[in-house]
Amino acid sequence: MYVGCDIGTGYTKGVLIDQDGKILSSCIIPTNADPRTASKTIIEELLKNSNISQDQIKGWGSTGWGRTYLPVEHEELSLINCIAKGINFLSPSCRTVIDVGAQHSMVILLDEKGQVLEFRQNDRCAAGSGRFIEVISEALRVPLEKVSSLVLNAKEKVNVTSQCAVFAESEVIAHVNDGKPVDAILAGIIDSLARSLAAIAKRLSVIDEVFASGGMAKNSALVKEISRYLGKELHTAQPDPQLVGAIGAALFVKEKS
Amino acid sequence: MIFAGCDVGSLTAKALLMDEKENIIAYEIMNVLPNPVKSAEEIMSRTLKKAELRLEDIDYCISTGYGREKIPFANNNISEISCHGRGAHWVNPAIRTIIDIGGQDLKAIRVDSKGELVDFVMNDKCAAGTGRFLEGIAKTLNVSLSELGPLALKGKNPISIISTCTIFTQFDVMHLIVEGADKADIAAGVAKAMAQRMHKLVRKVGIKKEVAITGGVAKNQGVVKYLQEIIKSEIYQFKDIDPQIMGALGAALFAKEEYMRKR
């Protein structure tokens, strides 16, 4: 059995797989800027949920921002490679991945064997990342998990011009003071994020089929908007888009052993 | 005669009154209200009250700052870049370079020996290096904005801050706190990062002595210290007058000038 961990800036994800790549157990918890504690908890949870002991694990793969913190002997892997590996295993027809995490967004092109052909990423600025929505939903006092359904039911869209998350926050507060409805403001925010993500993707030649991964792929309003800007169907990685990197990490160590 | 300058920024509103001999009668600074017109009216009424004057007593008023076009009682408006340059140069005529750090923007301004604008660069697209940046960091460190400067001066080993983005830096700071880093060293690292960012901007207009720093962030002694180290030169610091008032001061000086010219 093998464990893959993806220790991100937002969430820490872990999967336990068997020799055939079947997922025996998975776990997602907030990192809370504390990758040591989060990765320790993830290991405990994975083992507890599947009723196995630590010595039964043949290999540990770690990826993401906090990958060095995994408190067992592990293989450190690049997130881009792990996402490519994971998506190719889950959906072999995938040739383009759009991955949006808390503090990064990336677009990866794959060949038919799942090898990385090319990629673009933004990890410098919150404008194209999940934090952008987090900052705005906090300012609007809307729980993050409610954003998608509010946007999907919104009747109008308020144009948000600031790219910077900090300035967009002020802009959004000004819109609230002007009496603009919260769902319309959120629709504008999702639109702005989708547009910048689609712009990154369009700098590469997007190949079908296109899949969304990362925590933000759970926001179906965002996936729908990106799809509209791309003019292509955007599938959400299954069974859980947030686990793709962790699955890839586990598959790498399985192959190595 | 009474001349007024009114500067409504993104975070604070400022107003200043002076007489025809360019004596400053009164000035006030406050946090903005949601509406720029209301902010302007409130800050002007506070300043007038302090000077025991009424709005009708003002002979000419110029507004500046991001809400400058909407101020009902202003006779005219002038860009904050010209106003900051003019105000700083009036206080110390040796000043040629002004670094102004506002709530939501960062500017480097060059003026000539008469205080007139020669060149400027500005960043108002990204919060990195602005007052909002420091505000976010102060919040994450759980200290007030005014405590951040003294805290930074206490830090002996500034921790290198890698992210540029305000939001990402806040996360880095959270992580550093979890890892047990000294808050003073974090504050020092943030001040240093901020100074490096300002240096990159001011280089574009050329650093000509004297260099002055205006705007709210000028009050952060940590940032000033590291900026002096990086540019290898003393920075002129406003002592008897608040560095945040330069825009309103410049606007009042322009008000006097325009009034005299029109007469």
Side-chain angles (χ1 to χ4, degrees):
Chain A
M1 275 166 293
Y2 306 89
V3 168
C5 276
D6 174 2
I7 306 164
T9 48
Y11 286 84
T12 295
K13 290 80 65 176
V15 292
L16 176 73
I17 62 168
D18 66 11
Q19 197 54 51
D20 306 317
K22 197 179 145 222
I23 299 170
L24 302 176
S25 169
S26 70
C27 187
I28 301 174
I29 57 165
T31 305
N32 289 331
D34 187 354
R36 275 177 218 280
T37 310
S39 56
K40 196 168 154 268
T41 311
I42 273 284
I43 294 177
E44 286 163 8
E45 290 289 316
L46 284 176
L47 297 177
K48 198 174 76 190
N49 294 345
S50 53
N51 254 327
I52 45 174
S53 62
Q54 197 163 323
D55 50 18
Q56 287 174 273
I57 309 292
K58 280 205 216 149
W60 302 79
S62 189
T63 188
W65 163 79
R67 60 183 173 271
T68 55
Y69 291 95
L70 194 69
V72 290
E73 206 185 309
H74 61 265
E75 181 99 16
E76 274 167 33
L77 302 149
S78 105
L79 184 58
I80 292 161
N81 288 337
C82 287
I83 290 168
K85 187 78 168 173
I87 197 74
N88 179 251
F89 176 78
L90 298 167
S91 307
S93 59
C94 171
R95 302 288 301 280
T96 307
V97 200
I98 300 177
D99 186 273
V100 190
Q103 289 194 183
H104 74 257
S105 49
M106 51 174 88
V107 179
I108 311 168
L109 297 189
L110 310 171
D111 66 13
E112 56 275 15
K113 286 178 191 141
Q115 299 294 316
V116 176
L117 288 174
E118 224 182 320
F119 72 91
R120 289 277 185 287
Q121 70 172 333
N122 164 28
D123 56 1
R124 292 291 177 92
C125 161
S129 75
R131 285 265 192 259
F132 187 69
I133 298 181
E134 216 175 275
V135 166
I136 301 300
S137 68
E138 247 172 60
L140 294 173
R141 298 198 173 84
V142 172
L144 199 55
E145 60 277 11
K146 286 204 177 144
V147 170
S148 183
S149 63
L150 277 172
V151 172
L152 290 170
N153 293 313
K155 293 198 174 55
E156 47 180 331
K157 200 183 279 180
V158 174
N159 189 29
V160 179
T161 51
S162 308
Q163 288 278 307
C164 172
V166 175
F167 293 170
E169 187 187 357
S170 317
E171 196 184 332
V172 156
I173 291 165
H175 285 315
V176 172
N177 291 332
D178 278 351
K180 302 267 167 55
V182 165
D183 57 353
I185 299 170
L186 283 169
I189 287 292
I190 294 288
D191 182 275
S192 155
L193 182 57
R195 201 175 339 132
S196 49
L197 292 170
I200 300 175
K202 280 182 176 169
R203 266 177 252 147
L204 300 169
S205 39
V206 175
I207 326 167
D208 283 330
E209 294 180 331
V210 192
F211 278 77
S213 65
M216 291 317 295
K218 289 180 171 172
N219 185 316
S220 40
L222 178 66
V223 172
K224 194 179 153 193
E225 281 297 278
I226 300 172
S227 172
R228 189 171 67 82
Y229 276 111
L230 283 179
K232 280 180 189 294
E233 194 179 348
L234 180 60
H235 308 276
T236 302
Q238 299 299 334
D240 185 333
Q242 210 169 357
L243 290 176
V244 174
I247 293 170
L251 291 169
F252 267 117
V253 284
K254 179 176 84 78
E255 273 176 19
K256 264 202 147 176
S257 72
Chain B
M1 268 177 289
I2 305 295
F3 301 103
C6 184
D7 178 4
V8 180
S10 56
L11 294 184
T12 56
K14 288 83 56 174
L16 180 140
L17 299 168
M18 69 168 39
D19 64 16
E20 70 282 359
K21 287 184 185 132
E22 298 186 356
N23 295 309
I24 296 172
I25 303 165
Y27 65 81
E28 284 287 305
I29 300 168
M30 66 171 223
N31 288 329
V32 288
L33 305 170
N35 176 317
V37 174
K38 292 237 163 62
S39 299
E41 283 167 349
E42 176 63 24
I43 192 65
M44 193 48 89
S45 105
R46 285 191 199 183
T47 315
L48 286 164
K49 200 176 163 194
K50 198 175 176 188
E52 295 179 358
L53 290 168
R54 292 166 307 155
L55 195 60
E56 304 83 74
D57 297 327
I58 297 174
D59 291 282
Y60 207 84
C61 174
I62 282 186
S63 59
T64 188
Y66 107 110
R68 69 175 193 262
E69 280 158 20
K70 299 173 192 159
I71 314 306
F73 53 80
N75 301 84
N76 199 359
N77 70 79
I78 292 179
S79 99
E80 60 270 32
I81 292 157
S82 299
C83 289
H84 271 100
R86 185 64 190 271
H89 185 267
W90 181 83
V91 176
N92 176 1
I95 288 172
R96 296 290 177 276
T97 312
I98 298 131
I99 302 167
D100 177 66
I101 312 162
Q104 294 202 167
D105 62 18
L106 193 60
K107 302 180 208 83
I109 304 164
R110 274 281 310 281
V111 294
D112 62 16
S113 55
K114 290 180 204 139
E116 270 161 35
L117 189 66
V118 176
D119 195 8
F120 78 94
V121 280
M122 177 165 173
N123 163 33
D124 59 356
K125 295 271 180 276
C126 161
T130 68
R132 289 295 298 271
F133 176 82
L134 284 186
E135 208 177 64
I137 302 301
K139 206 169 130 194
T140 310
L141 283 172
N142 201 17
V143 297
S144 71
L145 198 55
S146 57
E147 286 170 307
L148 200 59
L151 188 64
L153 288 180
K154 269 192 243 159
K156 295 282 170 284
N157 306 298
I159 293 170
S160 143
I161 301 288
I162 298 144
S163 300
T164 303
C165 173
T166 306
I167 305 281
F168 291 0
T169 307
Q170 277 179 275
F171 176 81
D172 294 345
V173 168
M174 273 162 63
H175 179 229
L176 286 167
I177 294 170
V178 167
E179 291 288 304
D182 180 31
K183 272 194 183 185
D185 287 342
I186 299 175
V190 166
K192 194 173 174 184
M194 183 102 176
Q196 282 162 341
R197 193 164 177 87
M198 284 150 66
H199 178 234
K200 268 190 201 160
L201 193 81
V202 73
R203 259 194 333 211
K204 292 183 192 165
V205 295
I207 305 167
K208 198 168 175 217
K209 284 186 186 177
E210 295 279 325
V211 182
I213 174 165
T214 65
V217 179
K219 294 176 187 172
N220 183 311
Q221 288 303 311
V223 174
V224 174
K225 176 194 154 187
Y226 286 107
L227 191 61
Q228 292 190 137
E229 275 180 20
I230 294 167
I231 69 171
K232 296 183 187 75
S233 163
E234 281 282 310
I235 288 171
Y236 177 80
Q237 290 183 66
F238 297 92
K239 295 240 163 53
D240 307 320
I241 186 162
D242 195 302
Q244 245 177 310
I245 203 73
M246 292 307 142
L249 169 61
L253 289 163
F254 279 124
K256 185 203 147 196
E257 195 181 287
E258 231 175 76
Y259 180 83
M260 298 300 182
R261 202 169 48 225
K262 281 186 179 174
R263 214 168 46 153

